[in-house]
Amino acid sequence: MNAKERGRQIIRELRGEAFLAAKDQRLNEFNAPIHDYADEVCFGRIWAREGIDRKQRSILNIAMLTALNRPTQLRSHLEGALNNGCSMEEIREILLQAAVYCGLPAALDAFAIAEDVLRARKLLA
Amino acid sequence: MNAKERGRQIIRELRGEAFLAAKDQRLNEFNAPIHDYADEVCFGRIWAREGIDRKQRSILNIAMLTALNRPTQLRSHLEGALNNGCSMEEIREILLQAAVYCGLPAALDAFAIAEDVLRARKLLA
Amino acid sequence: MNAKERGRQIIRELRGEAFLAAKDQRLNEFNAPIHDYADEVCFGRIWAREGIDRKQRSILNIAMLTALNRPTQLRSHLEGALNNGCSMEEIREILLQAAVYCGLPAALDAFAIAEDVLRARKLLA
Amino acid sequence: MNAKERGRQIIRELRGEAFLAAKDQRLNEFNAPIHDYADEVCFGRIWAREGIDRKQRSILNIAMLTALNRPTQLRSHLEGALNNGCSMEEIREILLQAAVYCGLPAALDAFAIAEDVLRARKLLA
Amino acid sequence: MNAKERGRQIIRELRGEAFLAAKDQRLNEFNAPIHDYADEVCFGRIWAREGIDRKQRSILNIAMLTALNRPTQLRSHLEGALNNGCSMEEIREILLQAAVYCGLPAALDAFAIAEDVLRARKLLA
Amino acid sequence: MNAKERGRQIIRELRGEAFLAAKDQRLNEFNAPIHDYADEVCFGRIWAREGIDRKQRSILNIAMLTALNRPTQLRSHLEGALNNGCSMEEIREILLQAAVYCGLPAALDAFAIAEDVLRARKLLA
């Protein structure tokens, strides 16, 4: 399996076949190389590594994307984290720790996104 | 045990008695309230929580401090991470993932600090 | 008065009873600890301190939230600043200074939010 | 020609008369000094300089605004870049390079904005 | 008085004649335009404005430079703040508030710089 | 030529054989994967692309690394930029534009690094 296929298989396991199909539908001549980069470098090269498991990689992303102020990607990786077995309690702890290290505004923005994601999955009333 | 004592106990377990004593020696009328804040809020309130373990909290900090570009605190929490059972392999994976999400320059800066810490502990030649 | 009550009293004075009631209605099992953190640490511990007055704390937040790129919190603290006696002229000067130090894009984003807030209060046509 | 007129002339050449007229309509007592700052300092003083051409200045802005996480200004300068002769292929290369240095989430956010701009101009299906 | 002279006069009042002389000695063909920019735009145009006083401008800069992670400029503006009548107590409160909003690592880095500045002035043992 | 060789060839052309040899000497079991990442992804995959030339890639990096606050990498890419034919005048214009968009402190830090690099090459007295 080459990096592209390996990366796409990881995305499929992380987000499901429908997510991958929707992503493929957005492909065009302009964005194709960044899709390749995401598939091959991000997922096929880094997520494919051993040493830490996938749930840990999801947890790292919640922390880093909160710090980096990137809400669209944070939402996407919160979905991935829940699929990778991350619990609501764990997400809460990650974001509380972000309050101390990244500041309260970063944590409040991330909590608002996480609440949306949890509610859409009926994990939160 | 109040928040101050609980926080100091966690710092002691994370970094050792000598670290805490050195920290106490730097106390003065100007910085006392930020030391209280670190002891009581950061360690006594957040690190003291359950839901994720201490090694996980160290891992989160390596990721967030790399993203936030805070080398002094990153160095300190790399020490804590090793004390909390984080392996050289795990640190490497965290920083490789940071290369994708925070950018290569963030990861290169963090690798340089981690190499220093590992060498000082004779974990790296 | 404990930190929770002290913090809530400051929020009440800063934003009014209706704001606090709306905030309480959004409380749930997931976000309760970050609300506690905001009430007890942010307001009950830091805003409650003497040494600088509340208007000064509002001014600091406008500057920091502009630098940190956190529009939701910036909007909220612009409301608080106006309640704390900050004038339109002062807000303008803070944001002009941010143009030099944080860059013009940061200032333009903050001016757009401030205009919205001022217009909603009929302070700007 | 003074700095104000020089700056406005550059904005006119970069974005067109209608853009400038719309900008003038948004002028009010609150925002006038930041408009002056943009006209006189940003455009009249810096964009007016020689040493690098206007297309190069547009390219720099795409890179910096991606790094700085300022989507509203990024969108505006992508429009300017296309007017300054920057091609879709060049924009793609700038953003791919941002993926490596600023991180994939920064690049994905910027690609999404660029696709919008390109589609509105019928440069992308 | 033109913007250049006005800016230089403000720098002189803020930091003293020796500071200005040292700054002039570092002038060369490469950096002259950024010195002009600092003198004319930063000081001659923005610091010269009314609406908030100089002490307030120093306070804003401590907050923004802490958030922006710019230690060299933070050190310089801490000197200016003390010259502008900002007390050790006020600096402490600004940085404690930064701990909540910008995160503890940002505040710890800023406290370390402030302690250095205060000690060099014999304001702290 | 595979991505590794292609990347190393680009680094060789950008920085010279001695730079590459020094880099190889710092290789160890911990940092090997980030070196591979730099060689294969950054240089072998992105810098190897057509669409914009190498001088343009150097220019983008000066802009992005100034915005990202990464002085070690900024220094390294200033060296590369000069090797790629970027003139002192062009570097000055890039950094002046950064003053407007990233803020004066970012530009001042970058000017200081650029002066060091230029002086070491005897391009500035």
Side-chain angles (χ1 to χ4, degrees):
Chain A
M1 200 156 46
N2 66 20
K4 182 79 176 178
E5 288 160 3
R6 194 166 57 238
R8 285 175 62 82
Q9 181 55 28
I10 292 171
I11 297 173
R12 187 177 289 115
E13 288 163 23
L14 184 62
R15 300 300 305 281
E17 193 64 47
F19 177 89
L20 201 61
K23 179 169 129 73
D24 286 348
Q25 281 221 313
R26 290 194 303 272
L27 265 181
N28 57 48
E29 54 169 324
F30 177 65
N31 67 25
I34 195 72
H35 277 269
D36 288 344
Y37 187 92
D39 294 349
E40 295 168 28
V41 175
C42 177
F43 289 99
R45 184 183 186 106
I46 300 298
W47 275 78
R49 289 178 63 89
E50 306 196 341
I52 55 177
D53 65 18
R54 300 239 183 118
K55 181 180 161 185
Q56 182 65 81
R57 293 194 183 276
S58 287
I59 286 172
L60 289 175
N61 277 8
I62 295 172
M64 292 192 294
L65 293 163
T66 296
L68 293 168
N69 201 0
R70 293 288 175 185
T72 304
Q73 283 283 298
L74 176 57
R75 184 180 295 268
S76 182
H77 282 284
L78 281 164
E79 298 280 4
L82 290 164
N83 294 346
N84 273 337
C86 202
S87 68
M88 185 169 82
E89 287 69 25
E90 287 170 313
I91 291 171
R92 181 168 62 198
E93 292 307 315
I94 299 164
L95 299 186
L96 283 169
Q97 189 154 328
V100 175
Y101 290 93
C102 308
L104 181 57
L108 289 173
D109 281 357
F111 262 95
I113 293 167
E115 285 189 54
D116 253 26
V117 169
L118 290 167
R119 244 186 237 108
R121 289 187 178 223
K122 317 276 187 213
L123 295 171
L124 190 67
Chain B
M1 201 155 47
N2 64 21
K4 183 81 177 176
E5 288 160 3
R6 195 166 55 236
R8 284 174 64 81
Q9 181 55 27
I10 292 171
I11 297 173
R12 188 177 290 114
E13 288 163 22
L14 184 63
R15 301 299 305 279
E17 193 63 48
F19 178 89
L20 201 61
K23 179 170 129 74
D24 287 347
Q25 281 221 312
R26 291 194 302 273
L27 265 181
N28 56 48
E29 55 169 324
F30 176 64
N31 67 25
I34 193 74
H35 277 268
D36 289 343
Y37 187 93
D39 294 350
E40 295 167 27
V41 175
C42 176
F43 289 99
R45 184 183 186 106
I46 300 298
W47 275 77
R49 290 177 63 90
E50 304 197 340
I52 56 177
D53 65 17
R54 300 241 182 115
K55 181 179 162 185
Q56 182 65 80
R57 292 194 184 277
S58 287
I59 286 172
L60 289 175
N61 277 9
I62 296 173
M64 292 192 293
L65 293 162
T66 296
L68 294 168
N69 202 1
R70 294 288 174 186
T72 304
Q73 283 283 298
L74 175 58
R75 183 180 297 268
S76 182
H77 282 284
L78 282 163
E79 298 281 4
L82 290 163
N83 293 347
N84 272 337
C86 200
S87 68
M88 184 168 84
E89 287 69 25
E90 287 170 313
I91 292 171
R92 181 167 63 199
E93 291 308 315
I94 300 164
L95 300 185
L96 283 168
Q97 189 154 330
V100 175
Y101 291 92
C102 308
L104 181 58
L108 289 173
D109 282 356
F111 262 95
I113 294 167
E115 285 189 53
D116 253 25
V117 169
L118 291 167
R119 247 187 234 107
R121 291 188 177 221
K122 316 278 188 212
L123 295 171
L124 189 68
Chain C
M1 200 157 45
N2 64 21
K4 182 80 178 177
E5 288 159 3
R6 194 166 56 237
R8 285 174 63 82
Q9 180 55 29
I10 293 171
I11 297 173
R12 187 177 291 115
E13 288 163 23
L14 184 63
R15 301 300 305 280
E17 193 64 48
F19 178 88
L20 201 62
K23 180 170 129 71
D24 286 348
Q25 280 221 312
R26 290 194 303 273
L27 265 181
N28 57 48
E29 55 170 324
F30 177 64
N31 68 25
I34 194 74
H35 277 268
D36 289 342
Y37 187 91
D39 294 349
E40 296 167 28
V41 175
C42 177
F43 290 98
R45 184 184 186 107
I46 300 299
W47 276 77
R49 290 177 63 89
E50 306 196 340
I52 55 178
D53 65 16
R54 298 239 183 118
K55 182 180 162 186
Q56 182 65 81
R57 293 194 183 277
S58 287
I59 287 172
L60 288 175
N61 277 9
I62 295 173
M64 292 193 293
L65 293 163
T66 296
L68 294 167
N69 201 0
R70 294 287 175 185
T72 303
Q73 283 283 297
L74 175 58
R75 182 179 298 267
S76 182
H77 282 283
L78 282 163
E79 298 280 5
L82 291 164
N83 293 346
N84 273 336
C86 201
S87 69
M88 186 169 82
E89 288 67 26
E90 288 171 312
I91 292 171
R92 182 168 61 198
E93 291 308 314
I94 300 164
L95 300 186
L96 283 169
Q97 188 154 327
V100 175
Y101 291 93
C102 309
L104 181 57
L108 289 173
D109 282 356
F111 261 95
I113 293 167
E115 286 189 53
D116 253 27
V117 169
L118 291 167
R119 243 185 238 109
R121 289 185 179 224
K122 317 278 187 211
L123 296 171
L124 189 68
Chain D
M1 200 157 44
N2 64 21
K4 182 81 177 177
E5 288 159 2
R6 195 166 56 238
R8 284 174 64 82
Q9 180 55 28
I10 292 171
I11 297 173
R12 186 177 290 114
E13 289 164 22
L14 184 62
R15 301 301 303 282
E17 195 63 49
F19 178 88
L20 201 61
K23 179 170 130 73
D24 286 348
Q25 281 221 312
R26 290 194 304 271
L27 265 181
N28 57 48
E29 52 167 328
F30 177 65
N31 67 26
I34 193 74
H35 277 269
D36 288 343
Y37 187 93
D39 293 349
E40 295 169 27
V41 176
C42 177
F43 289 99
R45 184 183 186 106
I46 300 297
W47 275 78
R49 290 177 62 88
E50 306 198 339
I52 56 177
D53 65 17
R54 300 242 182 114
K55 181 179 163 186
Q56 181 65 81
R57 293 195 184 276
S58 287
I59 287 172
L60 288 175
N61 277 8
I62 296 173
M64 292 193 292
L65 292 163
T66 296
L68 294 168
N69 201 1
R70 295 287 175 186
T72 303
Q73 283 283 298
L74 175 58
R75 184 180 297 268
S76 183
H77 282 283
L78 282 163
E79 298 280 4
L82 291 163
N83 293 347
N84 273 337
C86 201
S87 68
M88 186 169 82
E89 287 67 27
E90 287 170 313
I91 292 171
R92 182 167 62 199
E93 291 308 314
I94 300 164
L95 299 186
L96 283 168
Q97 189 154 327
V100 174
Y101 290 93
C102 309
L104 181 58
L108 289 173
D109 282 356
F111 262 96
I113 293 167
E115 285 189 54
D116 253 26
V117 170
L118 291 167
R119 243 185 238 110
R121 290 187 179 224
K122 316 276 187 214
L123 295 170
L124 189 68
Chain E
M1 201 156 47
N2 64 20
K4 182 81 178 176
E5 288 159 4
R6 195 165 56 236
R8 283 174 64 81
Q9 182 54 28
I10 291 171
I11 298 172
R12 187 177 290 114
E13 289 163 22
L14 184 64
R15 301 301 304 280
E17 194 63 49
F19 178 89
L20 201 61
K23 179 170 130 73
D24 286 347
Q25 281 221 312
R26 290 194 303 273
L27 265 181
N28 56 48
E29 55 169 325
F30 177 64
N31 67 26
I34 192 74
H35 278 268
D36 289 342
Y37 187 93
D39 294 349
E40 295 167 28
V41 176
C42 176
F43 289 99
R45 184 184 187 104
I46 300 297
W47 275 78
R49 289 177 64 88
E50 306 197 339
I52 56 178
D53 66 16
R54 301 245 181 112
K55 181 179 162 186
Q56 182 65 81
R57 293 195 184 277
S58 288
I59 287 172
L60 288 175
N61 277 9
I62 296 173
M64 291 192 295
L65 292 163
T66 296
L68 294 168
N69 201 0
R70 294 287 175 186
T72 303
Q73 283 284 298
L74 175 58
R75 183 179 299 268
S76 183
H77 282 283
L78 282 163
E79 298 280 4
L82 290 163
N83 294 347
N84 273 336
C86 200
S87 69
M88 186 169 83
E89 288 67 28
E90 287 170 313
I91 292 171
R92 182 168 61 198
E93 292 308 315
I94 300 164
L95 300 186
L96 283 168
Q97 189 155 328
V100 174
Y101 290 94
C102 308
L104 181 57
L108 289 173
D109 282 356
F111 262 95
I113 293 166
E115 285 189 53
D116 253 25
V117 169
L118 291 167
R119 246 187 235 105
R121 290 186 178 223
K122 315 277 187 212
L123 296 171
L124 188 69
Chain F
M1 200 155 48
N2 64 21
K4 182 81 178 176
E5 289 160 2
R6 194 167 55 237
R8 284 174 64 81
Q9 181 55 28
I10 292 170
I11 298 173
R12 187 177 290 112
E13 289 163 22
L14 184 62
R15 302 299 306 280
E17 193 64 47
F19 177 89
L20 201 62
K23 180 170 128 74
D24 287 348
Q25 280 221 313
R26 290 194 304 273
L27 263 181
N28 56 47
E29 54 169 324
F30 177 65
N31 67 25
I34 194 74
H35 278 268
D36 289 342
Y37 187 91
D39 294 349
E40 296 168 27
V41 175
C42 176
F43 290 98
R45 183 184 187 105
I46 300 297
W47 276 77
R49 290 177 62 89
E50 306 195 340
I52 55 177
D53 66 17
R54 299 241 183 116
K55 181 180 163 186
Q56 182 64 83
R57 293 194 183 277
S58 287
I59 286 172
L60 289 175
N61 277 8
I62 295 172
M64 292 192 293
L65 292 163
T66 296
L68 294 168
N69 201 0
R70 295 287 175 185
T72 305
Q73 283 284 298
L74 175 58
R75 184 179 298 267
S76 182
H77 282 284
L78 282 162
E79 298 280 4
L82 290 163
N83 293 346
N84 273 337
C86 200
S87 68
M88 187 169 81
E89 287 68 26
E90 287 171 313
I91 292 171
R92 182 169 59 199
E93 292 307 316
I94 300 164
L95 299 186
L96 283 169
Q97 188 155 329
V100 175
Y101 291 94
C102 308
L104 181 58
L108 289 173
D109 282 356
F111 261 95
I113 293 167
E115 285 189 53
D116 253 26
V117 169
L118 292 166
R119 247 187 233 106
R121 289 187 179 223
K122 316 276 187 216
L123 295 171
L124 188 68

